[in-house]
Amino acid sequence: MPSPQNEAFARIKIDSALTDSGWNLLDPQKVRLELSSNSGRSDYLLLGPHGPLCVLEAKRQDEDPYDHKEQARGYAQNLHAPFVIISNGTVHLFWNLQRADHEDAHRIERLPSPSDLDYLRLKNLNPPRPLLTEPLGPDYLRKFRPDLTVRNYQIRAIDAVSTQFDNQSKRKFLLEMATGTGKTLLCAAMIRRFLATRNATRVLFIVDRTELINQTMEDFQTILAEYSPVIFKTARRKAGGLLGSSVVVATIQSLMIDRRYRTEFTPFHFDLVINDEAHRSIYGDARECVEFFQATRIGLTATPKAYLKNINIAQLGAENPKALEARELRDTYNYFGCEPGLPTFRYDIIDAVRDPEGPFLCMPKIFDIRSDITTKALEENGWAVTIDEQDENFKIRDLERRIFTPARNRLMCESFLKHAQTKPDNTLGKSIIFAVNQRHATAITKILNDLHPELAITITSRIPDAATIAKEFRDGKRKEKVAVSVDMLSTGYNCRDLLNVVLMRPIFSPTEYIQIKGRGTRLFTFNIGHTEYKKEYFFLLDFCAVAEYFEEKYDYTQPLPIPKEGDDGRDPTPPDNGDGGEGGTGGGDGPGPGGGGGIPVWKGTDSVISEEVRIVGPNGEKVDVLTFRGSFERDINEHYKADPDFHQAVDDEDDDLIDEILSERVMNKPDMYYTPKKLVTSYGIPAPTPAFVYNALGIKPLPSKDQLIGDTVDSLAARFNLRYSEQKWLSATAQLIVDDPNALKQFIEGDVNLFDRPQFAQLGGIAALATFDQRDAVFNTLRQNVIVRQSLQT
């Protein structure tokens, strides 16, 4: 067998890959081998009906193909081939030499087919026009349906993508849009712009779950009808079912079954891939599926997963590179090429409620209702109870998982019916109850129907034809007014006339809480007779102290925990600390009372002991601004408009006065308790507070950490007239103490063992430090410098 390192072995693998992609190696009209040109001999020349298409250069398996791209380009130019592939049999790089926006070779997962290359050749001959040349205004979609208006924030989102696509050649984007702000409509308008300008010929729209397919197709079949949108799962079963469509809608699961994304498509089939609920579809095998396609990628989500937030990236990279890689792979912002916490465009629930052209969403009226059992289960030691002569303690997460509480369930149902919001005709408003698991959902449905026959229906993934039931419930085609669910209706379920969201389970994940709460935020107008009644808010009936947890107890400064291997990307259940737990279909989903399973049934009674009502204002709950940075920037902009003294200080760039005003009027105030320490930690940059202010107001961008260190070193070097070798010592020291808190502590304390670290070995180690004549004066000055003072904040 050939050595795996030599080129011959690589060519065996390349031959196989070409065959898999539809190339006939024995047909000289399609493939020529070892073809000489003025610049040398190319390994493969791939041809189409109009002549040379691609030079493929083979390299040894132990070589990086990227190092040979210029050699391959020379062959291609001499042979008049528009494309280049460089491959070592395992890694394939592709380069479109005739497109200005394809400035470099990039990796592909599978070699292109003959039709792929011919398709790309035709696109080169008739290049697309810039996205921004396609006019986009409020009336853009009205010819398809008169009531469709593209809102200004949707136009701004599409234009943000278009501007970076046209002017910066960016091909990855993230839109952070609140639930209920019309992401599907926005996507339809954006897809039309891509198709109309020929920047895309075929589009893949990936949804999170099966129930959302039909909901998406309802809009696409109206707005994109001439592009023949199809559902992948059904179209693939028909001969040619996918060939005539420019828009394919699929779940990530249907693409991954038997790796259909690889067997039924080539990497170049789609020009644009859009991920709805993107925070859930970029993990594990799903990530491989999405990255398979050589396409522009756009992610949409209301709740991006910020796994790099509150992380010292440099320190983690030095101490545990694999842990940093795991966070980078899962971080939604990083995946779509954005800086941590900075999407391409953001429009959250607070923006939607306070939009001058709106409001476009509504806030909740929160009912915090607690029974005796719930209150005790929320205490640090949990609910103490004797079961089968054994003393047990159950926390809020344990209820309906480790112990059944029929009396509490009935009490919650009775309280829900007592407090739920009614429609203008005084009948119960449409409601969704979120239960602990399937067994709990069934129990709640039975109780409600016992209290009021045909009032409730269970809608979970385990119920036959659940998607149809959910659609009928949404459209008002069922007599039931209450849907009892677990996770199925928590994301992407668009029920505008929903008046009550009911939490009969604890939640620990802020992402899940925002998603569930988002079911009720949509506006709606009821028509009773000749009178219109607008939905001003929805009721959030909270029986598990969820709202209080996220307002008062959840630590927003802590990094998100990495989910366990095999998780679907949701936040894992946190340590058992007595405050609750994430809902879902997990533990405790066994037989119900009387059915065995070893789970005890509490046969005592329960009673309501507290009820509090709170209307959430336009600033939202604390959880509505997941990023500390986002809330700081919003508040600084508001304070700049409202406080003339602060406005003048900023305009004068009076840093001392800015610090003074912020300290007196902004910092350490509820609800976010801004402090210089939190700002430095959140941004990861040891900058003075005024720098964060200028950045928030768009006056001056924040300097990078390297810029701050470089400026400091240059300043001190000039001040003390340092030699080049001394400046290198200063630079290495400054870099280390800014990135490493332990090193900073040693430096402040004057501990010379600091200089035993590897980065100083190349400078000669501690022995060489003795030749640094002014080191004491230089290091004392550095200890007083702003980058050290600000680094101490962390």
Side-chain angles (χ1 to χ4, degrees):
M1 180 177 177
S3 165
Q5 302 302 321
N6 68 36
E7 186 176 312
F9 183 70
R11 292 186 64 161
I12 292 172
K13 298 186 71 173
I14 293 170
D15 288 349
S16 176
L18 284 169
T19 301
D20 289 343
S21 291
W23 294 94
N24 183 354
L25 299 178
L26 301 179
D27 184 351
Q29 301 301 313
K30 298 294 183 183
V31 182
R32 295 185 188 175
L33 306 176
E34 303 290 343
L35 192 67
S36 297
S37 68
N38 292 335
S39 59
R41 177 177 294 179
S42 62
D43 295 319
Y44 300 80
L45 178 65
L46 308 180
L47 300 102
H50 302 281
L53 284 173
C54 182
V55 162
L56 194 163
E57 187 66 14
K59 293 299 167 188
R60 289 157 42 111
Q61 282 210 304
D62 61 347
E63 291 186 299
D64 187 337
Y66 188 84
D67 294 336
H68 303 275
K69 63 171 189 160
E70 294 302 329
Q71 174 192 7
R73 174 159 66 173
Y75 297 158
Q77 289 173 337
N78 275 287
L79 294 169
H80 306 290
F83 309 114
V84 162
I85 296 172
I86 318 104
S87 175
N88 62 10
T90 301
V91 175
H92 316 300
L93 302 182
F94 179 80
W95 199 356
N96 186 341
L97 300 177
Q98 296 184 352
R99 285 282 295 273
D101 57 337
H102 290 195
E103 298 175 349
D104 203 356
H106 59 275
R107 185 165 180 169
I108 56 177
E109 296 302 311
R110 176 178 155 187
L111 296 182
S113 68
S115 59
D116 283 335
L117 292 183
D118 203 48
Y119 166 66
L120 293 175
R121 179 188 68 83
L122 291 173
K123 285 186 69 174
N124 284 350
L125 294 174
N126 186 22
R129 56 188 172 93
L131 287 170
L132 289 169
T133 62
E134 172 72 4
L136 178 60
D139 299 337
Y140 189 58
L141 302 179
R142 282 197 183 148
K143 60 183 176 182
F144 308 107
R145 210 174 77 198
D147 64 325
L148 289 181
T149 297
V150 185
R151 295 169 177 168
N152 281 327
Y153 67 82
Q154 294 170 325
I155 294 172
R156 294 198 305 273
I158 297 170
D159 282 348
V161 171
S162 302
T163 300
Q164 294 185 20
F165 184 93
D166 289 346
N167 300 335
Q168 301 175 29
S169 297
K170 283 197 68 175
R171 293 299 179 264
K172 293 196 290 186
F173 310 92
L174 177 63
L175 302 182
E176 187 177 331
M177 308 287 290
T179 297
T181 52
K183 293 194 289 288
T184 306
L185 181 70
L186 183 155
C187 285
M190 184 154 50
I191 288 169
R192 285 199 69 85
R193 179 177 262 190
F194 268 86
L195 292 170
T197 57
R198 300 190 309 282
N199 283 286
T201 303
R202 295 183 290 256
V203 179
L204 175 63
F205 188 84
I206 300 176
V207 299
D208 183 46
R209 47 223 257 174
T210 304
E211 306 87 64
L212 305 182
I213 287 277
N214 293 330
Q215 191 169 296
T216 300
M217 286 296 289
E218 290 173 13
D219 289 329
F220 281 13
Q221 286 173 338
T222 297
I223 299 169
L224 302 169
E226 74 266 42
Y227 296 108
S228 305
V230 297
I231 299 172
F232 170 67
K233 187 176 181 179
T234 53
R236 64 176 293 274
R237 298 171 184 161
K238 305 173 184 176
L242 295 169
L243 295 178
S245 173
S246 294
V247 181
V248 176
V249 181
T251 62
I252 192 72
Q253 295 86 354
S254 65
L255 291 167
M256 290 168 58
I257 293 173
D258 297 329
R259 297 169 68 83
R260 287 174 183 160
Y261 67 91
R262 295 183 69 93
T263 58
E264 303 197 18
F265 300 109
T266 67
F268 297 89
H269 186 88
F270 295 106
D271 308 288
L272 174 64
V273 175
I274 300 179
N275 287 72
D276 194 18
E277 301 298 344
H279 65 284
R280 290 166 66 109
S281 57
I282 60 172
Y283 304 106
D285 292 342
R287 184 188 187 96
E288 180 184 343
C289 169
V290 174
E291 291 187 343
F292 173 75
F293 298 107
Q294 298 297 302
T296 298
R297 295 203 291 272
I298 300 175
L300 294 101
T301 179
T303 51
K305 292 296 185 67
Y307 283 102
L308 295 175
K309 187 180 78 171
N310 300 325
I311 292 292
N312 185 327
I313 294 176
Q315 181 179 348
L316 184 61
E319 295 177 353
N320 192 341
K322 289 186 177 180
L324 177 60
E325 181 182 4
R327 288 190 171 276
E328 289 174 336
L329 286 171
R330 288 184 171 274
D331 187 89
T332 315
Y333 298 101
N334 182 69
Y335 178 80
F336 287 99
C338 299
E339 293 297 317
L342 296 176
T344 307
F345 183 83
R346 173 185 284 132
Y347 190 80
D348 60 28
I349 186 173
I350 299 173
D351 295 322
V353 170
R354 299 170 62 172
D355 195 315
E357 299 175 8
F360 295 116
L361 295 176
C362 63
M363 287 290 188
K365 184 176 183 179
I366 298 177
F367 289 72
D368 186 326
I369 304 170
R370 303 187 194 182
S371 74
D372 182 49
I373 291 176
T374 300
T375 303
K376 290 175 179 174
L378 287 165
E379 293 174 356
E380 183 176 352
N381 294 324
W383 172 37
V385 62
T386 301
I387 300 290
D388 297 330
E389 300 181 355
Q390 294 290 323
D391 292 336
E392 299 279 0
N393 288 81
F394 298 102
K395 298 184 180 180
I396 191 70
R397 72 172 68 248
D398 299 324
L399 304 183
E400 304 308 313
R401 293 180 184 275
R402 292 181 54 220
I403 185 169
F404 297 140
T405 57
R408 175 175 176 267
N409 288 335
R410 190 170 190 88
L411 185 69
M412 289 191 294
C413 290
E414 291 171 344
S415 296
F416 155 64
L417 293 175
K418 175 183 175 182
H419 294 289
Q421 186 173 189
T422 58
K423 295 193 299 184
D425 62 2
N426 289 320
T427 61
L428 178 65
K430 200 173 288 183
S431 310
I432 299 179
I433 296 175
F434 290 94
V436 170
N437 49 39
Q438 173 70 50
R439 188 215 60 80
H440 190 220
T442 301
I444 294 297
T445 302
K446 288 179 178 179
I447 293 171
L448 288 171
N449 287 333
D450 180 55
L451 294 169
H452 292 277
E454 298 184 312
L455 178 69
I457 187 167
T458 305
I459 304 179
T460 69
S461 57
R462 301 189 187 185
I463 299 296
D465 210 18
T468 299
I469 297 173
K471 183 177 184 298
E472 291 174 348
F473 180 82
R474 181 199 71 189
D475 296 340
K477 295 179 179 179
R478 299 192 65 91
K479 62 181 67 176
E480 296 91 354
K481 299 299 181 185
V482 182
V484 186
S485 189
V486 180
D487 286 323
M488 181 174 163
L489 304 183
S490 64
T491 60
Y493 187 58
N494 182 3
C495 185
R496 294 188 170 275
D497 58 339
L498 188 71
L499 292 183
N500 301 291
V501 173
V502 187
L503 301 178
M504 294 191 183
R505 78 175 192 215
I507 300 171
F508 258 120
S509 160
T511 297
E512 185 181 13
Y513 180 48
I514 290 174
Q515 290 282 2
I516 285 177
K517 198 170 62 163
R519 299 315 101 210
T521 57
R522 290 171 173 83
L523 299 179
F524 187 77
T525 300
F526 294 93
N527 293 288
I528 308 295
H530 299 289
T531 306
E532 291 186 346
Y533 300 88
K534 293 187 180 295
K535 172 184 170 184
E536 297 181 4
Y537 42 74
F538 68 98
F539 284 9
L540 181 71
L541 294 108
D542 180 6
F543 291 96
C544 297
V546 173
E548 179 191 71
Y549 173 69
F550 287 108
E551 196 67 21
E552 299 179 9
K553 300 179 181 179
Y554 186 83
D555 187 353
Y556 292 91
T557 68
Q558 289 298 309
L560 286 179
I562 293 290
K564 296 176 182 177
E565 192 70 27
D567 202 319
D568 66 355
R570 301 181 191 184
D571 289 340
T573 300
D576 189 0
N577 57 12
D579 292 319
E582 180 169 335
T585 55
D589 199 12
I599 299 177
V601 179
W602 172 247
K603 297 180 180 179
T605 60
D606 197 11
S607 60
V608 172
I609 64 171
S610 69
E611 294 178 356
E612 293 183 6
V613 182
R614 176 168 60 92
I615 297 177
V616 177
N619 290 326
E621 296 181 83
K622 189 182 291 188
V623 73
D624 292 322
V625 184
L626 275 177
T627 62
F628 183 89
R629 293 164 58 166
S631 62
F632 175 77
E633 290 165 9
R634 181 181 293 113
D635 288 352
I636 285 297
N637 275 273
E638 290 180 357
H639 197 69
Y640 180 74
K641 296 173 185 176
D643 187 335
D645 296 337
F646 182 62
H647 193 297
Q648 190 62 52
V650 171
D651 289 353
D652 293 340
E653 295 190 6
D654 187 338
D655 290 2
D656 290 337
L657 186 54
I658 290 173
D659 260 331
E660 180 181 333
I661 292 173
L662 286 179
S663 179
E664 292 176 357
R665 308 177 192 180
V666 177
M667 296 299 206
N668 291 298
K669 299 281 193 287
D671 289 318
M672 294 302 291
Y673 294 97
Y674 301 119
T675 65
K677 177 179 179 178
K678 287 184 179 179
L679 288 171
V680 172
T681 300
S682 178
Y683 283 83
I685 296 173
T689 300
F692 298 114
V693 172
Y694 297 137
N695 176 72
L697 295 171
I699 296 171
K700 290 187 288 188
L702 273 173
S704 69
K705 187 185 297 183
D706 288 340
Q707 284 176 315
L708 285 171
I709 294 171
D711 290 345
T712 298
V713 170
D714 288 344
S715 175
L716 291 178
R719 177 176 172 181
F720 288 95
N721 193 28
L722 299 182
R723 300 191 305 271
Y724 177 67
S725 60
E726 294 171 336
Q727 184 169 337
K728 289 176 68 176
W729 268 99
L730 175 61
S731 178
T733 303
Q735 185 74 54
L736 174 63
I737 62 178
V738 166
D739 286 340
D740 187 333
N742 293 325
L744 177 60
K745 183 174 182 292
Q746 284 182 283
F747 180 70
I748 294 298
E749 295 172 351
D751 184 353
V752 295
N753 291 321
L754 168 72
F755 301 105
D756 276 334
R757 300 192 179 214
Q759 52 264 66
F760 298 109
Q762 58 187 356
L763 301 178
I766 291 181
L769 185 61
T771 63
F772 190 162
D773 294 333
Q774 303 182 76
R775 64 180 183 278
D776 290 339
V778 171
F779 286 163
N780 282 335
T781 305
L782 179 60
R783 289 185 183 98
Q784 305 306 314
N785 189 270
V786 65
I787 66 167
V788 172
R789 295 200 311 271
Q790 295 301 113
S791 295
L792 286 170
Q793 300 285 355
T794 62

